[in-house]
Amino acid sequence: MLVNGIWEKRWDPVQKQDKQGRFIRQSSAFRERIPADVVEAMIAGEYKEPRYQLYVAYICPWATRTLIARSLFGLESHIEVKVVEPQLSDYGWKFGDYPGSTPESDVPVQYMHELYTQTDSQYTGRATVPVLWDRLEERIINNESADILTIFNEDLKPLHKEDLNLSPDPFLIEIDEFNERIYHSLNNGVYRAGFATSALAYQEAYNDVFETLDWLEAHFSKNEYAVGDQLTESDIRLFVTLVRFDVAYYGLFKTNKKRITDYPALSAYLDQLLQIPAFRDNTKVDHIKAGYYSIQALNPNGIVPEGPELPWFKWFKEDV
Ligand SMILES: N[C@@H](CCC(=O)N[C@@H](CS)C(=O)NCC(=O)O)C(=O)O
């Protein structure tokens, strides 16, 4: 991580922990929105090249949320994407030649942390993805995926190609409740299990994960979507964790009571979402495997498992 703008020690997955060994995720530092006059300039075509860039890792579920939203809204020509290599280096996320990543020659920096220090030379914290980068002002405007979803949904609404609202007013309360219900116990729950440094913290997280998956299985045996009768932000938030579960979390994070494949309704839901190009095209199974299994603290010899073989790989015949 960075301390007063200087990169410290080797990269370590555990960000913060409490006295009982529970993993604590850091909160995001840059939380600006895109101002209305800039959106007007974007509509008027005043920028020769896209003003904003989205820096992501395909391994990262939080970053993938923002990629899916960008594709669903058809914002590709306004928000350019830059992809780091899946493996975290000793200096954090890095650009390079891994297939599907952005080579160093296409970005102004070699490591993600350099974008953080260009924005704030005294930055202290982790250099996480996703990042929304303002190319004109050469600074990060936001590094919180939930905000970036809101920016795409609300601030950039006039630029949407598809008439879609991922957080429609009538469902706002339910969406918040659903997101809240799955964040701690599932989205972050798998990380709490994987990065726990005590058996107690691991067991708590493991129980939360499977209690939530059981609840979701019951929900999807009666409902097509997470909330209401249409696709919402909650589906994106759930999808990014489900699609990584059997591939990485089940093995590496030891959340191994059941696979998603063992839940019929959740499997059918996952399969349905994978038929939507925005979900399928932003899921890179090779990055997910290579990335998670490169976390040295959890997998010291770095061997990436050959399996699993999953039914939904049929949607990726060429690239899995
Ligand atoms: N609050 C952030 C969390 C993002 C996050 O934790 N990203 C992870 C990858 S999934 C990361 O970049 N970790 C690098 C690090 O911790 O050094 C968000 O949701 O945008």
Side-chain angles (χ1 to χ4, degrees):
M1 65 178 275
L2 287 162
V3 178
N4 297 325
I6 311 284
W7 186 263
E8 271 225 333
K9 307 189 285 189
R10 280 177 42 198
W11 183 84
D12 176 343
V14 177
Q15 321 197 332
K16 239 195 214 169
Q17 52 186 326
D18 71 6
K19 288 205 186 89
Q20 277 77 40
R22 297 186 186 95
F23 162 78
I24 303 174
R25 192 174 288 278
Q26 89 171 7
S27 42
S28 304
F30 304 102
R31 311 291 299 262
E32 278 178 54
R33 303 274 294 255
I34 299 186
D37 58 329
V38 175
V39 179
E40 272 164 37
M42 288 163 87
I43 297 169
E46 281 177 28
Y47 304 115
K48 285 195 196 74
E49 291 175 310
R51 173 159 173 172
Y52 296 100
Q53 291 175 326
L54 182 63
Y55 284 79
V56 298
Y58 283 127
I59 149 180
C60 174
W62 326 101
T64 305
R65 288 175 179 184
T66 63
L67 283 170
I68 293 174
R70 167 182 173 269
S71 305
L72 283 171
F73 293 130
L75 291 170
E76 290 88 342
S77 60
H78 300 285
I79 306 286
E80 194 181 32
V81 167
K82 301 289 179 196
V83 183
V84 295
E85 291 192 315
Q87 302 98 340
L88 271 148
S89 76
D90 285 351
Y91 297 91
W93 298 117
K94 177 182 164 297
F95 298 93
D97 299 331
Y98 188 94
S101 308
T102 305
E104 277 171 50
S105 52
D106 280 9
V107 274
V109 292
Q110 189 179 6
Y111 295 101
M112 263 317 282
H113 72 76
E114 297 170 74
L115 295 183
Y116 279 77
T117 44
Q118 278 189 29
T119 306
D120 173 0
S121 61
Q122 294 304 306
Y123 180 79
T124 293
R126 305 185 68 94
T128 57
V129 287
V131 149
L132 193 58
W133 175 256
D134 183 340
R135 197 195 242 159
L136 203 68
E137 296 184 356
E138 298 188 332
R139 65 187 184 97
I140 296 173
I141 65 157
N142 206 302
N143 71 332
E144 170 51 50
S145 60
D147 288 359
I148 299 174
L149 277 186
T150 308
I151 291 172
F152 290 175
N153 196 39
E154 293 176 13
D155 301 357
L156 301 188
K157 192 167 181 53
L159 298 166
H160 287 183
K161 277 208 193 120
E162 301 295 330
D163 183 21
L164 177 75
N165 185 347
L166 289 176
S167 311
D169 282 345
F171 296 127
L172 274 186
I173 293 174
E174 268 185 86
I175 289 173
D176 281 349
E177 280 171 3
F178 188 94
N179 295 348
E180 185 63 34
R181 172 84 172 81
I182 65 164
Y183 175 76
H184 182 71
S185 62
L186 183 65
N187 300 136
N188 204 36
V190 287
Y191 284 86
R192 285 170 42 229
F195 293 151
T197 50
S198 74
L200 169 88
Y202 162 70
Q203 275 150 13
E204 277 177 1
Y206 176 95
N207 290 339
D208 284 351
V209 165
F210 287 98
E211 200 185 296
T212 304
L213 286 177
D214 290 345
W215 171 73
L216 287 166
E217 175 67 9
H219 174 89
F220 286 105
S221 50
K222 291 191 228 90
N223 299 281
E224 195 176 344
Y225 296 104
V227 171
D229 53 5
Q230 67 166 89
L231 193 73
T232 62
E233 189 195 314
S234 300
D235 294 296
I236 300 181
R237 285 175 179 249
L238 179 55
F239 171 83
V240 295
T241 296
L242 294 184
V243 85
R244 284 165 177 70
F245 200 92
D246 295 357
V247 172
Y249 304 150
Y250 180 91
L252 189 74
F253 285 175
K254 307 187 198 80
T255 48
N256 57 1
K257 186 175 178 183
K258 277 180 171 187
R259 300 167 305 165
I260 300 305
T261 315
D262 301 320
Y263 287 100
L266 276 174
S267 296
Y269 169 71
L270 184 59
D271 210 56
Q272 170 200 322
L273 291 180
L274 280 166
Q275 291 173 59
I276 303 172
F279 286 80
R280 188 177 57 243
D281 299 346
N282 290 305
T283 301
K284 308 286 181 197
V285 174
D286 60 328
H287 279 242
I288 295 172
K289 269 169 77 165
Y292 281 105
Y293 279 97
S294 74
I295 301 176
Q296 254 198 353
L298 302 183
N299 188 31
N301 53 27
I303 295 171
V304 179
E306 286 293 317
E309 288 291 335
L310 298 170
W312 53 263
F313 283 1
K314 65 176 183 280
W315 301 116
F316 302 86
K317 270 197 202 96
E318 288 104 57
D319 47 314
V320 171

